[in-house]
């Protein structure tokens, strides 16, 4: 129980006025980062890096940590209200969150997102104090295990997101094709560029995702309004007792899932969110409601995202291994101030480690206080006149796409992705697996080629790990079970109800 004693001591340090101020600034900046598409937490923490020499490592790291989990809160706002994911990890939230907004339930979606995220972060902090040694197992994943994990994630997303496994696989194939554009990661040879200079470095994830979801939704909304002339209404803010009850299980499962995914090196938030979404859809009594405004489709992924934002710090703090770009920047803050993250951090500088960990509790409480009362302000976005709203969305999308690399070519990528996404909606091919494949494409290719190199080109290398074999087995079992369960549900739906007894 010494960890909890140290956590309480760190909590006392965080409650100092200056530390509270830094945590508050980080939370506000994180929310802005999450709302603005294209400006991720890695970029924001990089901008904060010079401050470490002026204010010291602990306040800087508190702000950076707040930016990371604050972005998870902020990303859900535009994902729910405008179907514009501020972060790749918010893509799963758009599937049911925006559907809830269109049916007048934006308030409950935002409240459940904030409350679920708060619960997930607090539970993850407790897990941080208890289960940090578990990261030793997860970080030991090599290329064989990582390839199996990416195959599992992609094929499961293909089967569970959308109405058809075949169309889901088509989406994965499109995503893999887009992910291979640009230089070969090992040889440097250009692939599928067509001589276009802007494609040499590959397609950037942010404009593609904003196009597939934000611009596509804009096109579809304009089309629907021409057909329906029907405005979105905001009926209520607070979730009902039933919605809270339906969200409890997904929040608990998403928290656990996000925590353990965060221990994996390089585990993207999009993978975690889609894994949670797929799990909830699989467990739901009425899976056909997913994509139409199921509260479980918001609660699970948002809890997973926020839990992940905390547990992703465990490999850095416990082993000194950064598991993401944001963690790499935080690693630089540690080392530039003479602090070496890893097991000795807790023995040599426990006040530093536990003050930062305790700040997560305080920061998430601030975010909950900021988010829930501001729900009424956020839902006012839906009452904005549509021409103004469309113009604001387009400005956000264009600025977000351009500002990432200061490249006008990314604006063309945004437009092309929007047209592609709009065309795919006409044939019911889901865009979510494309986004997930773009996130995992590089990792999948590198791990595949490293596995082949280790096995001297023998395919048996992919099955040289027990963990990999287990993941492949689960993948095959799930893909076999999906069409069977789908047919059983169809038969039940088509079965006539028994006639009432006359007795």
């Amino acid at each position: 129980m010494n960890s909890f004693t140290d956590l309480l001591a760190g909590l006392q340090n965080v409650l100092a006025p200056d530390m509270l101020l830094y945590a508050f600034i980080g939370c506000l900046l994180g929310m802005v980062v999450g709302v603005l598409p294209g400006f991720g937490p890695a970029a924001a923490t990089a901008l904060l890096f010079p401050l470490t020499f002026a204010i010291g490592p602990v306040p800087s790291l508190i702000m950076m940590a707040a930016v990371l989990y604050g972005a998870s809160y902020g990303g859900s706002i535009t994902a729910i209200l405008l179907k514009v994911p501020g972060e790749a990890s918010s893509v799963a939230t758009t599937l049911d969150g925006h559907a809830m907004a269109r049916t007048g339930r934006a308030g409950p979606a935002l409240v459940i997102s904030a409350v679920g995220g708060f619960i997930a972060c607090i539970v993850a902090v407790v897990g941080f104090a208890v289960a940090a040694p578990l990261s030793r197992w997860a970080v030991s994943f090599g290329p064989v295990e990582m390839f199996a994990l990416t195959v599992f994630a992609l094929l499961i997303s293909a089967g569970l997101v959308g109405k058809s496994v075949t169309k889901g696989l088509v989406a994965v194939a499109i995503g893999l094709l887009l992910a291979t554009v640009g230089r070969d990661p090992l040889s440097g040879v250009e692939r599928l560029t067509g001589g276009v200079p802007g494609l040499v470095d590959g397609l950037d994830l942010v404009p593609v995702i904003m196009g597939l979801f934000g611009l596509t939704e804009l096109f579809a909304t304009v089309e629907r309004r021409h057909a329906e002339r029907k405005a979105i209404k905001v009926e209520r803010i607070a979730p009902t007792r039933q919605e809270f009850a339906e969200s409890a299980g997904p929040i608990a499962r998403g928290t656990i899932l996000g925590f353990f995914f965060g221990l994996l090196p390089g585990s993207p938030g999009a993978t975690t969110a889609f894994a949670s979404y797929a799990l909830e859809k699989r467990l739901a009594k009425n899976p056909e409601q997913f994509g139409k405004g199921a509260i479980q489709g918001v609660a699970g992924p948002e809890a997973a995202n926020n839990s992940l934002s905390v547990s992703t710090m465990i490999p850095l703090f416990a082993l000194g291994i950064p598991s993401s770009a944001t963690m790499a920047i935080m690693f630089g803050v540690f080392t530039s101030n003479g602090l070496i993250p890893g097991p000795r951090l807790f023995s040599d500088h426990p006040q530093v480690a536990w003050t930062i960990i305790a700040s997560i509790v305080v920061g998430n409480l601030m975010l909950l206080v900021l988010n829930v009362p501001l729900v009424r302000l956020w839902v006012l976005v839906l009452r904005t006149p549509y021409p103004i709203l469309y113009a604001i969305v387009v400005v956000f999308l264009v600025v977000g796409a351009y500002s990432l690399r200061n490249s006008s070519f990314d604006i063309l990528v945004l437009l092309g992705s929007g047209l592609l996404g709009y065309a795919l909606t006409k044939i019911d091919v889901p865009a979510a697996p494309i986004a997930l494949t773009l996130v995992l494409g590089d990792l999948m290719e590198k791990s595949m080629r490293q596995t082949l190199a280790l096995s001297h080109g023998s395919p048996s290398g992919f099955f040289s790990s027990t963990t990999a074999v287990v993941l492949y087995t689960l993948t095959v079992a799930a893909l076999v079970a999906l069409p069977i369960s789908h047919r059983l549900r169809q038969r039940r739906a088509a079965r006539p109800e028994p006639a009432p007894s006359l007795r």
Side-chain angles (χ1 to χ4, degrees), residues 20-384:
L20 287 174
L21 177 61
Y22 292 128
F24 183 73
I25 293 172
C27 289
L28 284 180
L29 182 58
M31 286 185 63
V32 172
V33 165
V35 168
L36 292 175
F39 196 74
T45 50
L47 291 175
L48 292 175
F49 192 95
L51 286 177
T52 186
F53 303 108
I55 64 177
V58 176
S60 299
L61 289 165
I62 286 176
M63 276 202 299
M64 289 181 177
V67 168
L68 180 61
Y69 51 76
S72 298
Y73 282 82
S76 64
I77 295 171
T78 51
I80 291 170
L81 297 183
L82 302 175
K83 204 177 181 181
V84 177
E87 292 292 315
S89 58
S90 301
V91 172
T93 305
T94 65
L95 301 177
D96 282 279
H98 188 65
M100 290 181 66
R102 288 179 53 206
T103 56
R105 297 162 63 206
L110 288 169
V111 170
I112 288 295
S113 172
V115 172
F118 173 76
I119 294 171
C121 277
I122 299 305
V123 173
V125 169
V126 175
F128 201 149
V130 173
L134 290 175
S135 60
R136 295 183 183 272
W137 170 78
V139 174
S140 67
F141 268 34
V144 178
E145 293 84 2
M146 291 308 299
F147 179 77
L149 182 64
T150 54
V151 170
F152 175 79
L154 292 180
L155 293 184
I156 293 301
S157 73
L160 290 175
V161 178
K163 301 177 182 178
S164 166
V165 175
T166 303
K167 290 181 178 180
L169 291 174
V170 169
V172 168
I174 294 172
L176 287 173
L177 183 67
L178 295 177
T180 55
V181 174
R183 287 194 182 96
D184 184 285
L186 297 181
S187 66
V189 175
E190 294 182 13
R191 304 179 301 188
L192 304 177
T193 61
V196 179
L199 293 176
V200 172
D201 292 327
L203 292 170
D204 195 88
L205 176 67
V206 172
V208 173
I209 283 184
M210 289 193 298
L212 284 174
F213 293 91
L215 207 55
T216 295
E217 177 63 19
L218 190 64
F219 293 152
T221 303
V222 172
E223 183 182 40
R224 282 196 302 267
R225 280 189 55 74
H226 278 299
E228 301 173 7
R229 296 288 179 182
K230 192 175 180 181
I232 296 175
K233 295 181 180 179
V234 181
E235 296 177 355
R236 55 189 170 85
I237 300 298
T240 63
R241 189 173 297 179
Q242 180 182 353
E243 286 172 332
F244 272 120
E246 291 175 347
S247 302
I251 289 173
R253 289 185 289 268
T255 299
I256 296 171
L257 197 67
F259 182 83
F260 285 102
F261 264 74
L263 300 177
L264 299 173
S267 180
T271 305
T272 309
F274 278 116
S276 174
Y277 187 89
L279 177 64
E280 296 311 318
K281 186 174 180 180
R282 186 73 187 89
L283 296 176
K285 294 180 180 178
N286 300 304
E288 65 279 359
Q289 293 300 318
F290 278 71
K292 300 177 183 178
I295 191 72
Q296 301 95 321
V298 175
E302 283 301 308
N305 284 338
N306 285 272
S307 180
L308 176 85
S309 69
V310 175
S311 65
T312 193
M313 300 182 194
I314 294 178
L316 175 64
F317 278 66
L319 298 173
I321 299 176
S323 57
S324 67
T326 305
M327 291 301 104
I329 295 168
M330 293 179 71
F331 182 89
V333 174
F334 273 113
T335 56
S336 63
N337 287 273
L339 301 170
I340 306 301
R344 293 188 64 87
L345 180 67
F346 289 90
S347 59
D348 296 347
H349 305 281
Q351 72 283 359
V352 173
W354 290 107
T355 299
I356 297 168
I357 295 169
S359 73
I360 300 172
V361 178
V362 176
N364 275 275
L365 184 59
M366 288 180 179
L367 285 166
L368 184 66
V369 172
L370 285 171
N371 272 268
V372 174
L374 290 178
V375 165
R376 292 186 180 275
L377 177 63
W378 297 125
V379 297
L380 287 177
V381 174
L382 295 177
R383 294 176 180 167
T384 306

Side-chain angles (χ1 to χ4, degrees), residues 7 77 118 171 176 248 295 393 408 445-446 469 495:
L7 182 61
I77 295 171
F118 173 76
L176 287 173
I295 191 72
V393 171
S408 57
E445 182 179 7
K446 288 177 183 176
V469 172
R495 189 180 301 164

